[in-house]
């Protein structure tokens, strides 16, 4: 959920979607994003970068599946025979689960509306995926993929 949080969630004090759009558009060449379940098509038209429904990627010979998490997650794996890592959000809680010896599931949490008190994001470097807390600058989870 990149711009909107849905009617069930209280909007945080000081939340400014137009400012978020400006920040994201300035980073457009560095962003790979998938659509959340609260995204409105009209709002997404304000972004200068594409947002995929879901996305398979191969980075440094590592298979990564990016999805929001409402359809595919630890309970609904799209493919159990292939070795890959699923990255998703949806629950807004940063956590890692190894489903079997081939599939790892990493919920990167949320920068905008965390439900675990971590304003979290993830960075992949080489074969390591690390999530960080934006406010405290702490490492939350680090895994090899």
């Amino acid at each position: 959920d990149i711009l909107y949080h849905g009617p069930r969630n209280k909007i945080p004090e000081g939340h400014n979607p137009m400012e978020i759009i400006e920040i994201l558009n300035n980073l457009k060449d560095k962003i790979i994003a998938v659509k959340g379940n609260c995204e409105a098509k009209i709002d997404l038209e304000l972004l200068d970068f594409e947002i995929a429904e879901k996305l398979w990627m191969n980075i440094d010979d590592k298979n990564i599946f990016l999805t929001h998490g409402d359809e595919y997650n630890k309970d609904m794996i799209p493919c159990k025979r292939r070795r890959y890592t699923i990255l998703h959000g949806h629950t807004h809680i940063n956590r890692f689960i190894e489903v079997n010896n081939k599939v790892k599931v990493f919920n990167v949490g949320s920068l905008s509306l965390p439900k675990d008190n971590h304003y979290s994001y993830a960075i992949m470097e080489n074969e390591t995926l690390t999530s960080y807390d934006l406010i405290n600058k702490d490492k939350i989870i680090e895994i090899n993929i």
Side-chain angles (χ1 to χ4, degrees):
D1 304 315
I2 198 163
L3 297 176
Y4 184 62
H5 312 308
R8 295 181 301 177
N9 298 303
K10 183 180 177 186
I11 296 176
E13 187 177 325
H15 181 69
N16 184 341
M18 292 307 291
E19 186 177 342
I20 291 170
I21 290 167
E22 184 178 340
I23 291 167
L24 293 172
N25 283 338
N26 286 330
L27 296 169
K28 66 184 175 190
D29 296 332
K30 298 179 181 191
I31 294 175
I32 298 170
V34 292
K35 185 178 175 189
N37 62 328
C38 293
E39 309 298 0
K41 184 177 179 182
I42 193 156
D43 295 330
L44 295 178
E45 291 175 4
L46 297 172
L47 297 174
D48 294 339
F49 54 93
E50 295 295 317
I51 295 188
E53 291 290 327
K54 52 188 168 272
L55 184 63
W56 282 98
M57 299 179 69
N58 186 291
I59 302 171
D60 297 330
D61 292 327
K62 301 294 180 189
N63 292 311
I64 311 288
F65 180 61
L66 302 173
T67 184
H68 177 69
D70 53 332
E71 184 177 356
Y72 297 108
N73 52 53
K74 68 178 179 58
D75 298 319
M76 180 56 84
I77 306 295
C79 176
K80 294 182 181 175
R81 296 184 209 151
R82 184 177 183 181
R83 183 175 303 281
Y84 66 102
T85 301
I86 298 173
L87 299 181
H88 75 86
H90 186 53
T91 63
H92 299 229
I93 298 171
N94 190 284
R95 86 170 41 139
F96 168 70
I97 298 167
E98 193 160 353
V99 174
N100 58 35
N101 62 352
K102 291 187 177 192
V103 181
K104 297 176 181 182
V105 179
F106 192 25
N107 185 325
V108 298
S110 174
L111 272 173
S112 59
L113 189 66
K115 296 190 177 177
D116 62 356
N117 296 319
H118 291 291
Y119 288 84
S120 55
Y121 63 97
I123 294 177
M124 184 175 152
E125 292 180 296
N126 303 318
E127 296 185 6
T128 303
L129 186 62
T130 308
S131 64
Y132 296 92
D133 185 301
L134 180 68
I135 306 301
N136 301 323
K137 312 287 189 233
D138 297 336
K139 258 187 213 181
I140 304 169
I141 298 172
E142 184 173 85
I143 65 166
N144 289 324
I145 55 172

